[in-house]
Amino acid sequence: MNIIEVNDLRKKYTTYSRGVGILAAIKSIFWRKKIISEAVKGVSFSIKQGEMVGFVGQNGAGKSTTLKMLSGILYPTSGNANVQGFIPWNERTTYTKHIGCVFGQKSQLWWDLPPSDSFQLCKSLYDIPTDEFDLRLDKMVKLLHVERIMTRPTRDLSLGERMKCEIIMALLHKPSVLFLDEPTIGIDSLAKEDLHSFLASVNKQEKTTMIITTHDMSDIEALCKRIIIIDDGSLIYDGSVENVKKRFVKWKTIRVEYSTILNARLLKSSLAKGKIQQKTRDFFSLEIRKDSTNVPELIKKIMNAVEVIDLSVQEPKLDYVIKEIYRKKIHKSSD
Ligand SMILES: Nc1ncnc2c1ncn2[C@@H]1O[C@H](COP(=O)(O)OP(=O)(O)OP(=O)(O)O)[C@@H](O)[C@H]1O
Ligand SMILES: [Mg+2]
């Protein structure tokens, strides 16, 4: 069942330009040049209940604008969206009971209050029954190891501590959909791992549907099977993370560590099958094209050429693949 349906969603922003200096400022009181820019240019996709989808794109691609429309903060210029039977921007009061939002750049917690007070306010706002609230909060606080900071003012928390509390806050009322806009920005790798395993367990236990925007591909690799890539307001890929690598990158790397050379001629012809990336006395890594290389045959050849200590065949990292896609501006495609 689709819990999110987005159809030809568009958003135009209107801004006004003015020149530099006092004269231009006075002039702008009477006349300003109107500039209309289209941040989201007809995006369509659907998401099934329980999916975790990575939403990626370069700076200014339109990710936050899309999430703001889906969470009901912004009206679209045109197009439709339906999230769990709601039109987000029309039914905001009831709708917010069903969704949670984490905007990495903007805190939802009260700055001068400790997180525990913000959580209490959230409890009354959403009418969460006391026993359910206590149980849920206790479980999340333990899972994210934030027991010790519950009574410290939010403004004194580190970024990682605050983000853990933001995520707890967004999940207290047990929403069925969670929108996460750069939830791991500026967070160290250990705290990031905590967040990854926490979000994965919430998704597994509660079937919470999640859309995550991020520039950190380790978030996607840890959490999402599916990725949507948006470029300059338009969707350019929607499909599995696995296939994005297969589709856009046509090579793999073979890494070989060896003790002795058994057959120098065979080694030379094996190396000629690809592009040498690195070579030392007892190691080489070779870039090979997936479409024109018979990998099992090449591996057999290498095993006869050298006394292998370790051999691995590696796909490029998602981070590299995404950079290539941005660079080449590949046009709309999907699985
Ligand atoms: N309130 C606004 N008024 C005018 N233009 C805006 C406004 N908000 C965003 N934009 C513009 O819309 C475009 C898309 O912005 P958006 O914030 O959605 O990008 P993003 O994909 O989230 O980027 P980032 O990765 O940097 O967060 C950008 O060109 C941005 O300058
Ligand atoms: Mg953004």
Side-chain angles (χ1 to χ4, degrees):
M1 194 192 85
N2 288 335
I3 192 165
I4 301 177
E5 295 265 9
V6 178
N7 199 354
D8 199 22
L9 202 61
R10 289 168 192 271
K11 178 70 191 177
K12 284 181 184 157
Y13 286 115
T14 307
T15 49
Y16 296 91
S17 82
R18 45 163 276 198
V20 184
I22 291 181
L23 204 65
I26 295 166
K27 223 169 111 187
S28 76
I29 298 171
F30 306 101
W31 184 84
R32 295 178 303 170
K33 192 175 171 209
K34 198 170 168 179
I35 299 168
I36 296 173
S37 59
E38 201 169 17
V40 177
K41 301 173 178 169
V43 162
S44 305
F45 56 84
S46 52
I47 293 176
K48 289 195 181 65
Q49 190 186 354
E51 270 194 281
M52 290 178 103
V53 180
F55 197 47
V56 310
Q58 285 174 288
N59 292 130
K63 304 178 297 292
S64 298
T65 304
T66 306
L67 281 206
K68 281 179 190 160
M69 291 191 277
L70 292 184
S71 53
I73 298 167
L74 266 185
Y75 276 90
T77 309
S78 66
N80 306 309
N82 192 305
V83 183
Q84 222 199 358
F86 293 91
I87 297 167
W89 47 90
N90 278 351
E91 299 157 272
R92 209 165 137 69
T93 327
T94 355
Y95 178 58
T96 48
K97 295 201 168 102
H98 300 268
I99 61 155
C101 298
V102 176
F103 291 99
Q105 319 265 22
K106 196 171 169 286
S107 182
Q108 310 245 67
L109 302 160
W110 276 266
W111 206 238
D112 294 313
L113 299 180
S116 55
D117 286 6
S118 287
F119 297 156
Q120 284 296 334
L121 287 165
C122 176
K123 173 179 179 282
S124 18
L125 205 68
Y126 290 110
D127 269 334
I128 310 170
T130 306
D131 43 353
E132 192 186 315
F133 172 84
D134 290 344
L135 215 72
R136 241 180 124 60
L137 180 59
D138 189 54
K139 190 174 152 198
M140 292 200 275
V141 164
K142 279 192 184 126
L143 274 172
L144 284 170
H145 319 294
V146 284
E147 295 93 334
R148 285 186 311 119
I149 55 157
M150 276 302 101
T151 50
R152 234 191 271 162
T154 295
R155 66 180 132 77
D156 294 342
L157 301 182
S158 78
L159 194 58
E161 291 166 344
R162 204 199 81 210
M163 197 52 69
K164 288 177 176 179
C165 295
E166 299 279 353
I167 291 176
I168 293 177
M169 178 93 162
L171 286 169
L172 274 172
H173 60 297
K174 206 175 177 185
S176 34
V177 179
L178 183 64
F179 297 109
L180 298 141
D181 194 358
E182 301 195 41
T184 57
I185 193 162
I187 290 183
D188 75 59
S189 30
L190 269 184
K192 222 179 268 180
E193 260 179 37
D194 272 357
L195 288 182
H196 289 163
S197 55
F198 176 74
L199 291 170
S201 79
V202 170
N203 167 262
K204 195 167 171 210
Q205 285 171 21
E206 300 182 352
K207 297 272 168 293
T208 318
T209 310
M210 299 188 194
I211 302 188
I212 303 154
T213 82
T214 183
H215 291 290
D216 182 341
M217 292 309 135
S218 75
D219 291 345
I220 308 282
E221 288 190 292
L223 296 171
C224 309
K225 288 202 178 74
R226 176 175 166 197
I227 187 171
I228 293 178
I229 307 174
I230 174 171
D231 182 54
D232 192 21
S234 303
L235 196 148
I236 58 164
Y237 179 84
D238 179 359
S240 70
V241 173
E242 204 183 313
N243 278 357
V244 82
K245 291 184 184 176
K246 283 201 189 119
R247 179 180 289 272
F248 296 115
V249 178
K250 304 289 180 210
W251 53 265
K252 286 184 185 186
T253 308
I254 297 189
R255 296 167 61 87
V256 183
E257 196 189 330
Y258 57 92
S259 53
T260 41
I261 296 172
L262 304 171
N263 183 332
R265 196 180 47 81
L266 209 53
L267 176 60
K268 199 173 165 202
S269 75
S270 301
L271 291 173
K273 293 278 178 199
K275 204 162 93 190
I276 299 169
Q277 286 181 321
Q278 210 183 328
K279 189 170 177 332
T280 62
R281 202 169 42 83
D282 51 8
F283 173 82
F284 67 83
S285 66
L286 191 65
E287 192 181 298
I288 49 159
R289 286 198 64 84
K290 288 199 275 193
D291 46 1
S292 57
T293 315
N294 183 336
V295 183
E297 204 169 87
L298 179 60
I299 291 176
K300 220 190 280 169
K301 214 167 161 182
I302 292 170
M303 305 276 262
N304 287 327
V306 292
E307 187 71 50
V308 172
I309 296 173
D310 193 22
L311 186 151
S312 63
V313 182
Q314 291 174 349
E315 292 272 358
K317 287 242 176 286
L318 183 61
D319 187 49
Y320 174 89
V321 178
I322 298 296
K323 267 190 247 157
E324 282 295 287
I325 294 172
Y326 292 165
R327 235 177 250 135
K328 291 182 184 151
K329 300 259 177 218
I330 290 157
H331 291 293
K332 186 175 171 151
S333 83
S334 61
D335 285 351

